[in-house]
Every structure is written in C-alpha cells, then in structure tokens.
Short mmCIF file of all heavy atoms in Angstrom, two decimals:
data_model
loop_
_atom_site.label_atom_id
_atom_site.label_comp_id
_atom_site.label_asym_id
_atom_site.label_seq_id
_atom_site.Cartn_x
_atom_site.Cartn_y
_atom_site.Cartn_z
N ASP A 259 2.35 -15.51 0.34
CA ASP A 259 3.19 -16.70 0.41
C ASP A 259 2.81 -17.75 -0.62
O ASP A 259 3.66 -18.43 -1.17
CB ASP A 259 3.13 -17.33 1.80
CG ASP A 259 3.91 -16.54 2.84
OD1 ASP A 259 4.73 -15.69 2.46
OD2 ASP A 259 3.68 -16.77 4.04
N ALA A 260 1.51 -17.92 -0.86
CA ALA A 260 1.05 -18.97 -1.75
C ALA A 260 1.22 -18.62 -3.23
O ALA A 260 1.61 -19.46 -4.03
CB ALA A 260 -0.42 -19.29 -1.47
N THR A 261 0.94 -17.38 -3.59
CA THR A 261 0.94 -17.00 -5.00
C THR A 261 2.15 -16.19 -5.43
O THR A 261 2.44 -16.10 -6.61
CB THR A 261 -0.31 -16.17 -5.33
OG1 THR A 261 -0.24 -14.92 -4.63
CG2 THR A 261 -1.59 -16.92 -4.97
N GLY A 262 2.81 -15.52 -4.48
CA GLY A 262 3.92 -14.64 -4.81
C GLY A 262 3.47 -13.30 -5.35
O GLY A 262 4.29 -12.45 -5.72
N GLU A 263 2.17 -13.07 -5.39
CA GLU A 263 1.61 -11.81 -5.89
C GLU A 263 1.64 -10.75 -4.79
O GLU A 263 1.51 -11.06 -3.61
CB GLU A 263 0.15 -12.01 -6.33
CG GLU A 263 -0.01 -12.93 -7.52
CD GLU A 263 0.57 -12.34 -8.79
OE1 GLU A 263 0.46 -11.13 -9.01
OE2 GLU A 263 1.16 -13.12 -9.57
N PRO A 264 1.80 -9.48 -5.17
CA PRO A 264 1.74 -8.40 -4.18
C PRO A 264 0.37 -8.39 -3.49
O PRO A 264 -0.65 -8.44 -4.16
CB PRO A 264 1.93 -7.13 -5.01
CG PRO A 264 2.53 -7.58 -6.30
CD PRO A 264 2.04 -8.98 -6.52
N GLY A 265 0.37 -8.36 -2.15
CA GLY A 265 -0.88 -8.40 -1.41
C GLY A 265 -1.15 -7.16 -0.57
O GLY A 265 -2.28 -6.71 -0.47
N TRP A 266 -0.11 -6.62 0.04
CA TRP A 266 -0.25 -5.48 0.96
C TRP A 266 0.88 -4.50 0.72
O TRP A 266 1.99 -4.89 0.36
CB TRP A 266 -0.19 -5.95 2.42
CG TRP A 266 -1.25 -6.93 2.77
CD1 TRP A 266 -1.17 -8.29 2.68
CD2 TRP A 266 -2.57 -6.64 3.24
NE1 TRP A 266 -2.35 -8.86 3.07
CE2 TRP A 266 -3.22 -7.88 3.42
CE3 TRP A 266 -3.25 -5.46 3.53
CZ2 TRP A 266 -4.54 -7.96 3.88
CZ3 TRP A 266 -4.55 -5.56 3.99
CH2 TRP A 266 -5.18 -6.78 4.17
N ALA A 267 0.61 -3.23 0.98
CA ALA A 267 1.66 -2.21 0.91
C ALA A 267 1.76 -1.54 2.27
O ALA A 267 0.74 -1.22 2.90
CB ALA A 267 1.33 -1.15 -0.15
N ALA A 268 2.99 -1.35 2.74
CA ALA A 268 3.22 -0.59 3.97
C ALA A 268 3.37 0.87 3.54
O ALA A 268 4.25 1.21 2.77
CB ALA A 268 4.48 -1.07 4.67
N VAL A 269 2.46 1.71 4.04
CA VAL A 269 2.43 3.12 3.65
C VAL A 269 2.88 3.99 4.81
O VAL A 269 2.31 3.93 5.89
CB VAL A 269 1.00 3.53 3.20
CG1 VAL A 269 0.94 5.00 2.85
CG2 VAL A 269 0.54 2.68 2.04
N ARG A 270 3.92 4.76 4.57
CA ARG A 270 4.40 5.74 5.56
C ARG A 270 3.50 6.95 5.43
O ARG A 270 3.50 7.62 4.41
CB ARG A 270 5.85 6.09 5.28
CG ARG A 270 6.44 7.20 6.12
CD ARG A 270 6.65 6.86 7.54
NE ARG A 270 7.47 5.66 7.67
CZ ARG A 270 7.91 5.21 8.82
NH1 ARG A 270 7.63 5.84 9.93
NH2 ARG A 270 8.62 4.11 8.87
N THR A 271 2.71 7.23 6.48
CA THR A 271 1.71 8.30 6.41
C THR A 271 2.19 9.63 6.97
O THR A 271 1.46 10.60 6.94
CB THR A 271 0.41 7.89 7.12
OG1 THR A 271 0.72 7.60 8.49
CG2 THR A 271 -0.22 6.69 6.46
N GLY A 272 3.41 9.68 7.47
CA GLY A 272 3.96 10.92 8.00
C GLY A 272 5.39 10.72 8.42
O GLY A 272 5.89 9.60 8.50
N LEU A 273 6.09 11.82 8.71
CA LEU A 273 7.50 11.76 9.04
C LEU A 273 7.78 10.90 10.27
O LEU A 273 8.70 10.10 10.28
CB LEU A 273 8.05 13.18 9.25
CG LEU A 273 9.55 13.30 9.44
CD1 LEU A 273 10.30 12.72 8.25
CD2 LEU A 273 9.94 14.75 9.64
N PHE A 274 6.97 11.05 11.30
CA PHE A 274 7.22 10.32 12.55
C PHE A 274 6.15 9.28 12.85
O PHE A 274 6.09 8.75 13.95
CB PHE A 274 7.31 11.30 13.73
CG PHE A 274 8.44 12.26 13.58
CD1 PHE A 274 8.21 13.59 13.27
CD2 PHE A 274 9.76 11.82 13.70
CE1 PHE A 274 9.26 14.47 13.13
CE2 PHE A 274 10.81 12.70 13.55
CZ PHE A 274 10.57 14.02 13.27
N SER A 275 5.32 8.96 11.88
CA SER A 275 4.26 7.98 12.12
C SER A 275 4.69 6.60 11.65
O SER A 275 5.61 6.44 10.87
CB SER A 275 2.97 8.42 11.43
OG SER A 275 3.19 8.57 10.05
N ARG A 276 3.99 5.60 12.14
CA ARG A 276 4.27 4.22 11.77
C ARG A 276 3.72 3.95 10.37
O ARG A 276 2.91 4.69 9.84
CB ARG A 276 3.62 3.28 12.77
CG ARG A 276 2.10 3.34 12.72
CD ARG A 276 1.46 2.31 13.63
NE ARG A 276 0.02 2.47 13.68
CZ ARG A 276 -0.82 1.96 12.79
NH1 ARG A 276 -0.38 1.28 11.78
NH2 ARG A 276 -2.12 2.14 12.93
N ASP A 277 4.17 2.85 9.80
CA ASP A 277 3.62 2.42 8.52
C ASP A 277 2.27 1.77 8.76
O ASP A 277 2.08 1.05 9.74
CB ASP A 277 4.53 1.39 7.85
CG ASP A 277 5.78 2.02 7.23
OD1 ASP A 277 5.91 3.26 7.27
OD2 ASP A 277 6.60 1.28 6.69
N ALA A 278 1.33 2.03 7.86
CA ALA A 278 0.02 1.39 7.90
C ALA A 278 -0.07 0.45 6.70
O ALA A 278 0.31 0.82 5.59
CB ALA A 278 -1.09 2.44 7.83
N LEU A 279 -0.54 -0.77 6.93
CA LEU A 279 -0.68 -1.70 5.83
C LEU A 279 -2.02 -1.51 5.14
O LEU A 279 -3.06 -1.39 5.80
CB LEU A 279 -0.56 -3.14 6.33
CG LEU A 279 0.84 -3.53 6.81
CD1 LEU A 279 0.85 -4.97 7.29
CD2 LEU A 279 1.86 -3.35 5.72
N VAL A 280 -1.97 -1.45 3.80
CA VAL A 280 -3.17 -1.31 2.98
C VAL A 280 -3.20 -2.43 1.95
O VAL A 280 -2.17 -2.78 1.39
CB VAL A 280 -3.23 0.03 2.23
CG1 VAL A 280 -4.22 0.97 2.78
CG2 VAL A 280 -1.92 0.68 2.06
N PRO A 281 -4.39 -2.98 1.70
CA PRO A 281 -4.48 -4.03 0.70
C PRO A 281 -4.24 -3.48 -0.70
O PRO A 281 -4.68 -2.38 -1.03
CB PRO A 281 -5.91 -4.55 0.84
CG PRO A 281 -6.65 -3.49 1.55
CD PRO A 281 -5.67 -2.68 2.32
N LEU A 282 -3.53 -4.23 -1.50
CA LEU A 282 -3.29 -3.82 -2.88
C LEU A 282 -4.43 -4.21 -3.80
O LEU A 282 -4.51 -3.74 -4.92
CB LEU A 282 -1.97 -4.40 -3.39
CG LEU A 282 -0.75 -3.74 -2.76
CD1 LEU A 282 0.52 -4.48 -3.14
CD2 LEU A 282 -0.66 -2.28 -3.15
N GLN A 283 -5.32 -5.05 -3.32
CA GLN A 283 -6.50 -5.40 -4.09
C GLN A 283 -7.68 -4.78 -3.39
O GLN A 283 -7.85 -5.05 -2.22
CB GLN A 283 -6.64 -6.92 -4.15
CG GLN A 283 -7.65 -7.42 -5.13
CD GLN A 283 -7.23 -7.15 -6.55
OE1 GLN A 283 -6.87 -6.04 -6.89
NE2 GLN A 283 -7.31 -8.13 -7.40
N PRO A 284 -8.41 -3.89 -3.88
CA PRO A 284 -8.63 -3.45 -5.25
C PRO A 284 -7.96 -2.12 -5.59
O PRO A 284 -8.53 -1.31 -6.31
CB PRO A 284 -10.14 -3.33 -5.31
CG PRO A 284 -10.51 -2.81 -3.95
CD PRO A 284 -9.50 -3.46 -3.01
N SER A 285 -6.79 -1.87 -5.07
CA SER A 285 -6.07 -0.63 -5.39
C SER A 285 -5.59 -0.66 -6.83
O SER A 285 -5.56 -1.70 -7.47
CB SER A 285 -4.87 -0.48 -4.45
OG SER A 285 -5.29 -0.50 -3.11
N ARG A 286 -5.17 0.51 -7.33
CA ARG A 286 -4.63 0.57 -8.69
C ARG A 286 -3.41 1.47 -8.72
O ARG A 286 -3.34 2.48 -8.02
CB ARG A 286 -5.68 1.02 -9.69
CG ARG A 286 -6.11 2.46 -9.53
CD ARG A 286 -7.11 2.89 -10.61
NE ARG A 286 -7.61 4.22 -10.30
CZ ARG A 286 -6.96 5.34 -10.57
NH1 ARG A 286 -5.79 5.29 -11.18
NH2 ARG A 286 -7.47 6.51 -10.25
N ALA A 287 -2.45 1.08 -9.53
CA ALA A 287 -1.24 1.87 -9.71
C ALA A 287 -1.27 2.50 -11.09
O ALA A 287 -1.71 1.88 -12.06
CB ALA A 287 -0.01 0.98 -9.56
N ASP A 288 -0.81 3.76 -11.16
CA ASP A 288 -0.68 4.43 -12.45
C ASP A 288 0.55 5.33 -12.39
O ASP A 288 1.32 5.26 -11.42
CB ASP A 288 -1.94 5.22 -12.81
CG ASP A 288 -2.29 6.33 -11.82
OD1 ASP A 288 -1.41 6.77 -11.05
OD2 ASP A 288 -3.45 6.77 -11.83
N GLY A 289 0.75 6.16 -13.37
CA GLY A 289 1.93 7.03 -13.41
C GLY A 289 1.99 8.03 -12.27
O GLY A 289 3.06 8.50 -11.90
N GLU A 290 0.85 8.35 -11.69
CA GLU A 290 0.79 9.31 -10.59
C GLU A 290 1.18 8.67 -9.26
O GLU A 290 1.77 9.32 -8.40
CB GLU A 290 -0.64 9.87 -10.51
CG GLU A 290 -0.82 10.97 -9.50
CD GLU A 290 -2.25 11.47 -9.45
OE1 GLU A 290 -3.17 10.77 -9.92
OE2 GLU A 290 -2.44 12.57 -8.94
N GLY A 291 0.83 7.41 -9.07
CA GLY A 291 1.11 6.72 -7.82
C GLY A 291 0.18 5.56 -7.60
O GLY A 291 -0.35 4.98 -8.54
N LEU A 292 -0.03 5.23 -6.33
CA LEU A 292 -0.92 4.14 -5.94
C LEU A 292 -2.20 4.75 -5.37
O LEU A 292 -2.15 5.57 -4.45
CB LEU A 292 -0.24 3.26 -4.88
CG LEU A 292 -1.04 2.08 -4.36
CD1 LEU A 292 -1.27 1.05 -5.47
CD2 LEU A 292 -0.32 1.43 -3.19
N HIS A 293 -3.34 4.34 -5.94
CA HIS A 293 -4.64 4.85 -5.50
C HIS A 293 -5.37 3.75 -4.75
O HIS A 293 -5.60 2.68 -5.30
CB HIS A 293 -5.46 5.31 -6.71
CG HIS A 293 -4.80 6.41 -7.47
ND1 HIS A 293 -5.07 7.74 -7.24
CD2 HIS A 293 -3.85 6.37 -8.44
CE1 HIS A 293 -4.32 8.47 -8.05
NE2 HIS A 293 -3.56 7.67 -8.78
N VAL A 294 -5.69 4.01 -3.48
CA VAL A 294 -6.37 3.03 -2.65
C VAL A 294 -7.80 3.51 -2.40
O VAL A 294 -8.03 4.69 -2.20
CB VAL A 294 -5.61 2.77 -1.33
CG1 VAL A 294 -4.25 2.16 -1.61
CG2 VAL A 294 -5.46 4.03 -0.52
#
C-alpha cells in the first residue's frame, strides 16, 4: 500500500488446493518463472 511495489504472490499449489502467499522479496523472476 505504501510503495506500490509487488510484495506477495498468491501461488496456486495444486488443482484443488488453496492459494498460498509467498513473499516476493528475496524471490527472483527470470525467463523460467519465479524462484522462491
């Protein structure tokens, strides 16, 4: 809310499972995907 920067990602971990929130810091994104 304060910075407007991406903070968390909701990750769908399976077909019938709920989304789990993961911090985007210190994660990294590349051409393959998001690495947490």
Side-chain angles (χ1 to χ4, degrees):
D259 286 344
T261 66
E263 294 293 322
W266 300 91
V269 177
R270 173 70 55 173
T271 59
L273 187 58
F274 298 107
S275 58
R276 66 175 174 84
D277 284 357
L279 291 180
V280 253
L282 288 172
Q283 192 67 310
S285 303
R286 68 177 173 81
D288 61 19
E290 185 180 19
L292 180 66
H293 299 266
V294 296

